[in-house]
Amino acid sequence: MQKLKGVLLVNLGTPDSPSTKDVRVYLAEFLNDPLVIGIPPALRRLLVHGIILRTRPAKSAKAYQEIWTDRGSPLLFHGVDLAERVKGELGDEVAAVELAMRYRNPSVQSKLEEMQARGVDDLIVVPLFPQYSQAAWASAVKEVFDAAARMANMPNLQVVEPYYEAPHFLDATVEVARPVLDEFQPDHVLLSFHGVPDNHCTDRDTSGSHCQKSDNCCDQIVAQNRFCYRAQCFATARGLQSRLGLDASNSEVAFQSRLTKDWIRPFTDERVVALAKQGVKRLAVLCPSFVADCLETIEEIGMRAAEDFVEAGGEALQLVPCVNAEVPWAKGLAAMVRENL
């Protein structure tokens, strides 16, 4: 009997609604993941339930309400659309392409069971995170394997590796970004990646001799930093800058969504204000650690950072959309899946 093949796309997650209650449930699941907050369980529970969940859900709910649509969360519907388009590109090469979320719904477990009920026993898993990080990529992959192991009949799993410098991803990003940049005509382009704690990078360097030991530790991928999220982000940036004709004089890298001062630098919020004060009038921001627009792109950059930029003396900040479910990305992702079939 020929085994049916399927594709499981996995993104981070989203609340079921923008209500404070549903946001609290989502944040509790997310922040209690030891790969997200890597401290002893008792301390993590105290931090999450004793401090963060007392105030953060209401604040985050207001932000989610700003971006919620008739179709729900942008992260969810862009993912659903992407799965449909990738299936269209692959045709009969696979029996199914489905989207699951690491946290909340649709859950990884439910999608694995749904596809196996349809006869799919061989799965290609695509974490929708271009760069490796323990808090996103590793956590998503762990959940897939844990969920599969709980099934009566465990499917065969093959995981697509991080594609931070894969031409299919970089070319799709450029194809989506170039028309926006051509129309906006920015003075400067900021490549803003999601931040992580410093130790999520330094711990990847088992030699202890490379990460953060010099100002140029992320200038190229070498053995010591091959699992470093920050180094992979800079590799993505170099690939995009080259394709877009950018250089150090008119573009730079920064990291957003920081929670403490002990996160990787430079910080996006600080650079946005500094660039405005330095005379940049028209700032474009790409967010190439995300493949789908979400709270961190639409609200954090497109709304709050844009307001900060103007208040600091800039004229306009343009958020460049993520690849979402655009045709170039659907074709590129289908090609990456095909290479793993």
Side-chain angles (χ1 to χ4, degrees):
M1 186 183 73
Q2 184 179 5
K3 292 183 178 180
L4 296 181
K5 297 182 181 294
V7 180
L8 182 67
L9 310 179
V10 186
N11 214 327
L12 193 71
T14 181
D16 293 334
S17 83
S19 70
T20 300
K21 177 183 177 182
D22 282 341
V23 171
R24 180 179 290 108
V25 171
Y26 166 70
L27 289 176
E29 185 178 348
F30 171 53
L31 295 173
N32 276 300
D33 185 343
L35 290 179
V36 173
I37 300 180
I39 58 177
L43 290 178
R44 185 169 57 251
R45 286 193 296 271
L46 177 62
L47 173 65
V48 173
H49 295 279
I51 300 175
I52 298 176
L53 293 183
R54 290 181 180 274
T55 58
R56 184 73 176 269
K59 181 179 179 181
S60 293
K62 290 181 180 179
Y64 273 108
Q65 290 161 16
E66 293 284 338
I67 70 165
W68 215 258
T69 73
D70 292 340
R71 295 186 64 192
S73 165
L75 185 73
L76 178 59
F77 73 71
H78 285 312
V80 170
D81 292 347
L82 178 63
E84 291 178 356
R85 284 189 169 174
V86 170
K87 178 62 174 77
E89 291 292 331
L90 293 172
D92 294 337
E93 295 178 71
V94 298
V97 180
E98 296 289 343
L99 171 75
M101 295 295 183
R102 168 62 184 90
Y103 310 105
R104 302 308 298 153
N105 300 303
S107 70
V108 169
Q109 188 84 55
S110 67
K111 286 300 178 180
L112 289 178
E113 293 173 351
E114 177 185 319
M115 284 197 282
Q116 190 168 75
R118 294 163 60 184
V120 175
D121 292 323
D122 282 355
L123 273 176
I124 293 176
V125 180
V126 185
L128 292 176
F129 317 106
Q131 302 83 21
Y132 173 86
S133 71
Q134 70 177 55
W137 197 96
S139 180
V141 171
K142 181 180 183 299
E143 175 62 19
V144 172
F145 277 87
D146 286 350
R150 291 192 292 267
M151 298 171 66
N153 299 301
M154 183 174 178
N156 297 314
L157 302 173
Q158 181 177 346
V159 181
V160 174
E161 65 184 5
Y163 39 91
Y164 58 94
E165 54 184 359
H168 294 305
F169 169 63
L170 296 177
D171 291 344
T173 301
V174 168
E175 196 166 343
V176 171
R178 195 184 299 279
V180 179
L181 296 175
D182 288 347
E183 180 178 354
F184 183 64
Q185 291 293 301
D187 304 329
H188 200 79
V189 175
L190 183 64
L191 298 152
S192 179
F193 297 82
H194 198 289
V196 297
D198 282 323
N199 69 306
H200 282 208
C201 292
T202 54
D203 289 351
R204 306 283 79 75
D205 177 13
T206 55
S207 73
S209 63
H210 184 86
C211 186
Q212 296 190 7
K213 300 301 182 182
S214 69
D215 292 338
N216 61 356
C217 63
C218 292
D219 282 0
Q220 59 180 327
I221 300 294
V222 295
Q224 295 92 331
N225 69 4
R226 67 189 188 280
F227 292 112
C228 173
Y229 171 78
R230 188 175 187 272
Q232 291 187 5
C233 289
F234 273 93
T236 298
R238 289 191 295 271
L240 294 175
Q241 287 167 319
S242 174
R243 285 165 169 78
L244 290 168
L246 301 171
D247 57 34
S249 70
N250 56 13
S251 65
E252 62 183 85
V253 172
F255 297 91
Q256 63 183 88
S257 310
R258 63 185 172 107
L259 293 181
T260 73
K261 61 182 178 62
D262 297 321
W263 281 43
I264 54 176
R265 297 170 180 265
F267 298 141
T268 294
D269 56 346
E270 293 181 352
R271 290 305 302 152
V272 164
V273 171
L275 286 167
K277 292 181 177 180
Q278 291 167 12
V280 172
K281 295 301 181 184
R282 300 177 67 80
L283 178 65
V285 183
L286 282 75
C287 300
S289 57
F290 304 92
V291 298
D293 280 307
C294 54
L295 187 73
E296 287 82 0
T297 64
I298 301 170
E299 194 273 338
E300 183 179 351
I301 301 299
M303 297 179 183
R304 279 191 283 137
E307 182 178 337
D308 292 344
F309 181 69
V310 172
E311 286 183 356
E315 291 179 359
L317 182 152
Q318 175 66 56
L319 171 66
V320 178
C322 294
V323 287
N324 292 318
E326 297 295 333
V327 171
W329 176 225
K331 288 182 177 292
L333 185 52
M336 286 197 292
V337 169
R338 192 175 287 118
E339 291 168 358
N340 286 270
L341 282 172

